[in-house]
Amino acid sequence: MAFVVKTFSTLRTHWKKSIAGSVLLGWLANYGFNRYTDYVWIRALCKEVETLSDQPQSPFEKSKKLVVFLNPSACNGKAMDNFERAAAPILHLSGMEISIVKTQREGEAKQYMSVLDDADGVVVAGGDGTVLEVVTGMLRREDRERCRNIPVGVLPLGTANNSIAAKLCTPAATQPKWVANSAKAIVDGEQKNVDVMEVKPEGEGKPTYAVAGLQFGAFRNATEDATKYWYLPLLKSRATFVIPTFTSQWPPVTDMDFSHSPPCEGCSNCRTTVKVLPPVRRWWQRLLPGRPAQPNNNNDIDYSKIDNPACSMWVESKKSWVEFVCSINNMATTQPVSSETTPQNSISLQSVENLQRGSFVKEGWQRLKENKRLYQQQKKDISDDIVSETINCRQFKITPENSEDLWINIDNEPFEMKPMHVTLLTNYMKFFHSPPPQNV
């Protein structure tokens, strides 16, 4: 009893130290609990993968080869540790041949993809920027019709993952669990067709291929400029939406020449049917046990016989935008898009032409509060006092009247703003994904 009285007396005398110690012990306990639950989760997935890899297979069946592009500098330098902890054990236990390529500089993954050969799948271990490099490098090749059928997997090891990785595998409570679930989805081999946007600059320049979307305008600039307010460490994320409103030139509009063509389900003008032939087998291989060659798919639609004159029509106009967000409708959210209101095979353009100072601050803080990422906003997510316009199209062209000091984000990566032509490539690539659980 004397010990208890002495303990309470000490805590009462040194209450500040006691509170600080309690907070520290609580944080350590929560950290230890999360580490333990992550370990149990990853271990369970490893056992499941090991059981599947122990199943017998034909001696004539070639083991699959995966090439992993790992960006060690992603996630503030923690990507390598997170990969070795959560993804590497699952991938190595799958029985597949794993080759890991560590990128050291920006654009290196794009260069590797230009010479990559003999791979059954590509895995991107990094953020949206690394995914953009891999997809662009793959589709810039001369044999891109072959390369685009190579499935791509994404391990969410970057700081900006929600725009792509979250649509392939539902985010978990912690990043290691999310990475482990994504690795398990790659091992399972479930694939889905994904639309791609070809962003081609007018005149000279090579195209860039985006999977998530594009954004430019006031909100994009405010988010990128947050690092300028380093002297406000706890308030810089909010101050970046307040300080621009004190300028005399408000709203900060961008004048554009804009033209677009309507959505199209597929016709001879915009779609071609590419039949993927089964692998050729020698005559003597037919006498050996193994998986027979799959017949060609006869359900492919022959778009050469479909005529849609509206597909080649262009609607031209002049725009003055404060904010512009472009997203692919089948990748816009993790929830299914209603086909009654939004065409599936289309690009969704959402723009704001007028914006009050108070509405700008309110919307910016709301996005911070809900921790939204780019390309996840739908019209219902924008504040009611902001008037926005939504256009669905198959392709569009934008030409800024003055492109000086203008920047645009393509899949969360900044690019200098230039006149560009954006085209939707429907079901153009294959990605590994984890199907959502079925409701029973």
Side-chain angles (χ1 to χ4, degrees):
M1 187 64 182
F3 174 77
V4 176
V5 173
K6 183 178 180 181
T7 302
F8 277 100
S9 178
T10 303
L11 293 176
R12 182 178 179 181
T13 305
H14 306 281
W15 61 273
K16 294 182 180 180
K17 296 180 180 179
S18 301
I19 293 176
S22 300
V23 171
L24 178 61
L25 289 176
W27 181 85
L28 291 175
N30 183 69
Y31 176 79
F33 177 77
N34 289 334
R35 293 278 294 189
Y36 176 74
T37 56
D38 292 343
Y39 167 78
V40 173
W41 185 270
I42 296 171
R43 183 179 177 85
L45 292 180
C46 288
K47 289 184 177 181
E48 184 178 348
V49 171
E50 187 178 16
T51 302
L52 294 176
S53 63
D54 288 341
Q55 295 180 358
Q57 63 179 12
S58 172
F60 304 99
E61 185 176 353
K62 184 180 178 181
S63 61
K64 294 183 179 180
K65 179 180 180 180
L66 289 182
V67 179
V68 180
F69 289 93
L70 173 61
N71 182 8
S73 61
C75 196
N76 299 322
K78 300 178 182 178
M80 185 65 187
D81 293 338
N82 292 335
F83 174 79
E84 294 291 344
R85 174 187 171 194
I90 297 175
L91 295 178
H92 288 295
L93 286 172
S94 64
M96 294 184 287
E97 182 181 349
I98 308 297
S99 300
I100 301 176
V101 179
K102 298 179 183 179
T103 60
Q104 302 296 331
R105 63 183 185 276
E106 184 178 355
E108 190 173 4
K110 192 185 307 179
Q111 296 176 358
Y112 277 120
M113 286 304 303
S114 63
V115 296
L116 180 67
D117 197 10
D118 191 24
D120 298 302
V122 176
V123 179
V124 181
D128 289 347
T130 312
V131 177
L132 179 68
E133 288 188 17
V134 170
V135 173
T136 299
M138 181 180 295
L139 297 185
R140 281 183 181 177
R141 295 174 54 133
E142 295 181 357
D143 58 342
R144 73 173 190 174
E145 291 297 333
R146 179 189 67 85
C147 292
R148 72 185 184 91
N149 289 299
I150 299 177
V152 178
V154 180
L155 299 176
L157 294 174
T159 55
N161 295 303
N162 287 358
S163 57
I164 297 177
K167 300 168 184 62
L168 302 173
C169 182
T170 304
T174 60
Q175 188 182 29
K177 290 182 180 179
W178 189 10
V179 174
N181 292 341
S182 300
K184 178 62 166 53
I186 294 171
V187 172
D188 292 340
E190 188 74 23
Q191 303 173 17
K192 67 179 295 186
N193 293 326
V194 173
D195 295 349
V196 178
M197 286 190 298
E198 182 184 51
V199 184
K200 184 182 298 184
E202 296 290 347
E204 299 181 356
K206 297 181 179 180
T208 301
Y209 295 89
V211 182
L214 292 74
Q215 185 188 38
F216 70 85
F219 289 102
R220 179 262 169 205
N221 295 338
T223 304
E224 295 292 330
D225 292 343
T227 55
K228 294 182 179 180
Y229 310 111
W230 54 269
Y231 48 86
L232 300 172
L234 300 179
L235 300 175
K236 64 180 181 180
S237 59
R238 293 183 177 271
T240 188
F241 293 102
V242 177
I243 296 178
T245 61
F246 291 102
T247 59
S248 58
Q249 297 181 353
W250 187 271
V253 297
T254 303
D255 297 326
M256 293 278 181
D257 291 331
F258 174 72
S259 59
H260 72 280
S261 64
C264 180
E265 294 295 331
C267 66
S268 58
N269 180 57
C270 63
R271 296 282 294 275
T272 57
T273 303
V274 180
K275 293 182 178 293
V276 180
L277 298 178
V280 179
R281 305 188 77 198
R282 303 295 182 183
W283 65 269
W284 53 268
Q285 289 181 315
R286 300 176 183 176
L287 305 177
L288 300 176
R291 182 179 300 175
Q294 298 295 327
N296 197 12
N297 187 8
N298 296 322
N299 296 325
D300 292 334
I301 300 176
D302 187 3
Y303 292 102
S304 63
K305 298 180 180 179
I306 302 177
D307 186 22
N308 182 15
C311 179
S312 57
M313 295 176 58
W314 287 87
V315 180
E316 299 181 357
S317 60
K318 286 187 174 294
K319 300 290 186 180
S320 296
W321 288 326
V322 178
E323 175 77 357
F324 175 85
V325 177
C326 168
S327 59
I328 302 175
N329 282 327
N330 72 347
M331 290 285 287
T333 61
T334 54
Q335 301 297 327
V337 180
S338 175
S339 58
E340 299 179 358
T341 58
T342 304
Q344 287 283 345
N345 301 326
S346 66
I347 304 172
S348 178
L349 310 178
Q350 191 171 32
S351 60
V352 178
E353 297 187 358
N354 193 11
L355 187 64
Q356 301 296 326
R357 289 179 170 86
S359 301
F360 175 72
V361 176
K362 178 182 177 181
E363 176 66 16
W365 288 7
Q366 184 68 19
R367 294 186 185 187
L368 289 176
K369 180 180 179 180
E370 298 182 5
N371 194 25
K372 296 178 183 177
R373 289 290 187 186
L374 302 181
Y375 325 122
Q376 287 186 303
Q377 288 85 9
Q378 296 295 311
K379 188 174 182 179
K380 60 182 177 58
D381 291 330
I382 295 182
S383 302
D384 295 335
D385 55 349
I386 299 179
V387 180
S388 62
E389 179 187 10
T390 301
I391 300 175
N392 294 309
C393 62
R394 183 181 67 85
Q395 58 180 339
F396 67 91
K397 297 179 181 180
I398 52 176
T399 303
E401 294 185 0
N402 184 12
S403 60
E404 185 178 358
D405 295 332
L406 285 181
W407 293 83
I408 183 172
N409 276 10
I410 303 177
D411 283 3
N412 280 334
E413 289 297 304
F415 288 80
E416 187 177 356
M417 187 68 176
K418 295 181 179 180
M420 60 181 60
H421 181 189
V422 181
T423 305
L424 178 68
L425 306 177
T426 307
N427 295 332
Y428 206 70
M429 291 193 65
K430 297 180 180 180
F431 275 75
F432 293 108
H433 81 118
S434 177
Q438 299 292 335
N439 295 329
V440 182

